[in-house]
Amino acid sequence: MPPQKVAHAAVTGFDNASAYDVHRPSYPADAVEALLRNLDVANRPRAKIVDLAAGTGKFTELLAAREEQYDIVAVEPVAKMRQSLVGKHLEHVEVIDGLATSINLGDGWADAVIAAQSFHWFANEEALKEIRRVLKPGGRLGIIWNIEDYNQPADWTASTAWEKELKQLILALPPDGTNRFRDDKWRDVFERQARDPAPLFAVPIGQEKIPFTVWLAKELLWDRIQTLSQVAVLRDADKDAFRAKFDGIMSEGDQVWNEKEEVEFHGFTVYAWTRRI
């Protein structure tokens, strides 16, 4: 099988790395701590961690700031995202080009591999084989996402009517052949590999989610929504039409606003983990 390439939707949708870095959120401290405990690297000085598809380093920053002083390799295939991460000059972090199916590290290098806001892009057997290769025996794979109500799976229940409307608007965007978290297919690869005579990772995988609430001004919420790859690729009349529908939802819905003219919206941080067999 030929080496996999970066999905076109990722290359075009994440071309504006600076906007992604500014408007995408970081991760709640309690979710990060819980994930690292389940990966057996919390309170483990100099553990070796691969931050896979690290993007601009939203999760890498949190790893680099910890007292354990992890030895971190951040792997990111999109050049502008990688350049943004390199520009942060994070301690104990090496930033390299690479794919989930082609990680330029030796066999058994890592104590843990973490995919933050990214696993849905490469939830396939080829990637799992490569992740397993770079993990030490018994090493662990961790996955984490911030999922706003407007970008959640269709069968989840949004917290408010306006967030449900916005979710329906995003779900109605033209398909581009790319699976996203909201398609709820990322777990399937673990079940498939478990049926193999020589499985790669233990099942059932662990999974938890923690709710969050955020307040943002309308224009900042719009900027954040534009970092979704399916929205970022919209152009001209299509972008104008999407913006008009967004404005309509924001002007006629059941929003809660504070004195700063910020709107309250909701979501979950979802994290999962498993162990190399």
Side-chain angles (χ1 to χ4, degrees):
M1 180 176 291
Q4 293 196 347
K5 297 180 179 180
V6 184
H8 177 72
V11 175
T12 55
F14 299 143
D15 185 64
N16 190 344
S18 60
Y20 184 99
D21 195 55
V22 170
H23 299 296
R24 279 292 178 100
S26 187
Y27 299 85
D30 51 353
V32 174
E33 182 65 26
L35 178 61
L36 295 179
R37 284 201 311 269
N38 282 295
L39 297 180
D40 196 30
V41 292
N43 303 315
R44 188 171 168 188
R46 302 313 301 267
K48 296 180 181 295
I49 298 179
V50 176
D51 187 1
L52 186 57
T56 61
K58 304 296 287 191
F59 199 84
T60 323
E61 292 176 282
L62 302 178
L63 292 173
R66 289 183 62 94
E67 293 181 356
E68 292 93 341
Q69 296 189 320
Y70 296 131
D71 187 359
I72 304 162
V73 174
V75 181
E76 172 52 46
V78 178
K80 289 185 179 180
M81 305 282 263
R82 194 169 60 249
Q83 291 161 8
S84 178
L85 175 49
V86 169
K88 294 180 178 180
H89 304 290
L90 300 175
E91 291 190 19
H92 309 295
V93 175
E94 179 184 4
V95 182
I96 65 173
D97 188 6
L99 295 165
T101 52
S102 180
I103 303 170
N104 189 25
L105 291 169
D107 295 357
W109 182 86
D111 296 295
V113 173
I114 299 173
Q117 214 72 23
S118 63
F119 185 75
H120 52 281
W121 292 102
F122 46 83
N124 58 64
E125 284 80 356
E126 292 72 30
L128 281 191
K129 288 176 184 176
E130 180 69 349
I131 292 168
R132 184 185 185 277
R133 181 189 68 78
V134 302
L135 280 169
K136 296 176 180 177
R140 303 188 185 190
L141 167 62
I143 310 166
I144 188 168
W145 291 271
N146 287 318
I147 303 299
E148 297 86 352
D149 278 17
Y150 59 72
N151 194 33
Q152 65 182 204
D155 61 351
W156 288 20
T157 301
S159 300
T160 61
W162 77 269
E163 286 168 295
K164 180 180 179 180
E165 274 194 80
L166 188 51
K167 169 182 166 180
Q168 294 303 321
L169 178 61
I170 291 170
L171 288 173
L173 289 169
D176 58 10
T178 300
N179 285 330
R180 291 171 170 81
F181 177 90
R182 65 175 180 264
D183 298 310
D184 214 20
K185 296 180 179 179
W186 62 271
R187 297 180 197 81
D188 295 351
V189 67
F190 293 103
E191 299 305 321
R192 290 196 304 269
Q193 63 89 36
R195 296 192 290 268
D196 191 276
L200 305 170
F201 288 91
V203 293
I205 62 173
Q207 183 179 337
E208 298 288 347
K209 62 181 183 179
I210 297 174
F212 64 75
T213 299
V214 178
W215 295 84
L216 279 180
K218 175 187 169 182
E219 287 305 312
L220 290 177
L221 176 59
W222 168 246
D223 289 338
R224 182 158 167 172
I225 289 171
Q226 286 193 95
T227 67
L228 299 176
S229 59
Q230 268 184 299
V231 179
V233 298
L234 295 175
R235 295 290 182 269
D236 304 324
D238 291 334
K239 176 62 76 67
D240 292 342
F242 186 92
R243 175 65 200 244
K245 291 176 181 177
F246 168 82
D247 287 340
I249 291 169
M250 297 303 296
S251 65
E252 300 174 1
D254 59 339
Q255 296 88 352
V256 175
W257 300 87
N258 64 17
E259 66 281 359
K260 298 178 182 178
E261 297 187 352
E262 296 171 327
V263 66
E264 179 187 45
F265 65 98
H266 310 84
F268 287 92
T269 298
V270 180
Y271 59 97
W273 64 94
T274 183
R275 172 181 52 82
R276 172 192 156 166
I277 297 177

